[in-house]
Amino acid sequence: MSTRDDRARTVRTGSTARRGAGASAPDASAAGAGDRVVIGTVPPAVRLCGLLLVLAGLAGVLAAVPTYLVVGGEELRQVRGVGGALATLLGPAVHLAVGATLLRLAVPKFGLAYAAVAGALAVGELLIELYRGSSSTARPGVEVLAGERVLTSSVQLGAGWVLGVVALVLTVLAGVVGAAAWGRTVMEDRGPLDPIRSVLAGAAVLLGVVAVLSLALPAADVPEQLRIDPATGMRVVVMQEGPQALLERPGLALLGGLLLAGTLLLCAVLAPSLRPRLAAVGGLLAVAVTVLRAGLAGVRDAASSDELVWTVPGAGLVLAGLGLLGLTAVAWRVRRTAA
C-alpha cells in the first residue's frame, strides 16, 4: 500500500501498535514476536456490518420482553425464568459484542467471519419463524413454543415475534455485507493455527454431524405413559402426540429446517479453514452459539413445562454446542504458544 488511507496496523497479543505507510504484511522482524496480526485496508462496509449486528442484537434483546405469539388464546413469552433468559439472550448478547468490535475496526476479519456465518445460519431460522407466525395454522399440530406445549389451531402475532423476525433479517443483512467486505479487508498473521487446522476441522465436522442429527428430533418431547388396561389388567404403553420434529413440518418450516441443517454442517467444515486465525475463531463462535442456543431452548422447554421431558437429541445439542465452544477456545488460545 502506498497511500495514507491504507496505513497498516500491527496487532500483537495484548497490544496494538501503528506501523508506517506502505506496510501490508509482517516483515522479517516479526519472526520472534509471537502471534502478530497485520491489519491493512478496512473498507467502510466493515462498520456497516458492525452496525447491523448491533441493531440485530438490540432487536433480539427487546424481543424477549413483549408477547411472542398468542396461540389458541394463550399468550406466550420467550423469557420465563433464568433458563429462558439464557436461551433467548445468548445470541443477541454475542451479536452486540462482536458488532462493537467491528464498529471499532478492531480485528475486522474476526467480526466479518462471525457475521457471515451467523447470517447464513439465520436464513433457515428466519424461514422457520415465518412459518410459525403465518403458516402453522394451515396444518394444525402440537408444537412447543416458548416453553409451552400448544396446538396451533389459531396464531396471532405479538411484538416479540415481530422483533425476533427483524433481528433475524438484520443478521442476514449483516452476513451479506460481511461476505461482501471480506475480500476487500486486509488482515494477516503468521499462521499460528496452521499446524492444527486439520484436527480442528475434523472435530468440527464430527460435532456438526451430531448437531444436525440432534436437530432432526425434538429437544423436549412428551413422554410415553404406562397405564393399566381395565379390560385385561395389563400395563400398556400409551403414546401421546408430541411436538413436530424439525423435518416433519411442511412448507417454509421444512425448507428452513433443511437449510439450517445443511448450512450448519457446511459452516462447521469451512470455519476452521478461515484465515487469519481470528477469522476461524469468529466462524466457530457463530456455529457454537447457534447450536448451543438450540440446546438451551430444549432445556428451557423441559424445565418450564410439566408435560415435557428433556430428550437425548436435546442433550446432544448442548454437548455439541459446548464442544464447538471448546474448539473456539482452542483456536483462540493457540496465540499463547505461537512460535
Side-chain angles (χ1 to χ4, degrees):
M1 297 172 222
S2 59
T3 65
R4 291 184 179 179
D5 293 336
D6 292 339
R7 289 182 180 176
R9 288 179 291 155
T10 300
V11 182
R12 291 187 191 177
T13 301
S15 64
T16 303
R18 292 270 182 184
R19 299 183 66 187
S24 59
D27 56 18
S29 65
D35 184 21
R36 175 175 291 186
V37 178
V38 173
I39 300 174
T41 303
V42 180
V46 171
R47 277 204 169 100
L48 175 59
C49 179
L51 177 61
L52 290 170
L53 268 185
V54 169
L55 292 176
L58 290 175
V61 171
L62 294 175
V65 179
T67 300
Y68 173 55
L69 291 171
V70 181
V71 183
E74 182 178 357
E75 291 189 1
L76 305 178
R77 283 181 169 80
Q78 296 191 64
V79 174
R80 297 176 59 190
V82 177
L86 183 59
T88 303
L89 299 178
L90 175 62
V94 179
H95 282 10
L96 287 170
V98 176
T101 68
L102 287 173
L103 288 175
R104 294 187 293 109
L105 301 182
V107 287
K109 282 202 169 181
F110 162 76
L112 292 178
Y114 174 88
V117 173
L121 293 171
V123 174
E125 296 176 312
L126 176 60
L127 294 178
I128 293 172
E129 280 300 316
L130 291 176
Y131 166 79
R132 286 174 177 170
S134 62
S135 307
S136 58
T137 55
R139 189 184 297 179
V142 175
E143 276 285 9
V144 176
L145 301 174
E148 291 290 337
R149 181 171 174 257
V150 294
L151 178 64
T152 58
S153 56
S154 65
V155 176
Q156 297 176 356
L157 303 182
W161 181 89
V162 174
L163 287 169
V165 168
V166 170
L168 289 172
V169 170
L170 289 171
T171 303
V172 173
L173 291 176
V176 172
V177 174
W182 178 269
R184 294 180 290 123
T185 303
V186 177
M187 179 174 166
E188 302 171 5
D189 64 10
R190 299 175 57 241
L193 191 63
D194 292 348
I196 64 168
R197 281 187 188 274
S198 59
V199 176
L200 279 178
V205 169
L206 178 61
L207 291 171
V209 170
V210 171
V212 168
L213 293 177
S214 299
L215 279 172
L217 295 172
D221 206 349
V222 179
E224 300 173 349
Q225 290 188 349
L226 288 175
R227 293 181 180 176
I228 298 178
D229 188 342
T232 63
M234 298 180 61
R235 290 186 177 182
V236 295
V237 177
V238 178
M239 302 292 293
Q240 299 185 86
E241 186 179 2
Q244 296 174 337
L246 184 65
L247 302 182
E248 291 178 352
R249 301 163 182 164
L252 285 176
L254 177 59
L255 178 60
L258 291 173
L259 280 175
L260 179 60
T263 306
L264 177 60
L265 190 56
L266 179 62
C267 291
V269 173
L270 293 179
S273 66
L274 295 176
R275 296 175 183 274
R277 173 186 61 85
L278 289 175
V281 174
L284 286 170
L285 178 62
V287 177
V289 168
T290 300
V291 175
L292 190 56
R293 252 189 324 124
L296 291 176
V299 176
R300 173 202 63 193
D301 295 344
S304 61
S305 176
D306 296 332
E307 298 179 295
L308 300 170
V309 295
W310 199 30
T311 63
V312 172
L317 282 173
V318 173
L319 292 177
L322 292 175
L324 287 164
L325 275 182
L327 294 183
T328 305
V330 169
W332 173 258
R333 295 290 294 181
V334 165
R335 66 192 176 97
R336 302 293 187 183
T337 57

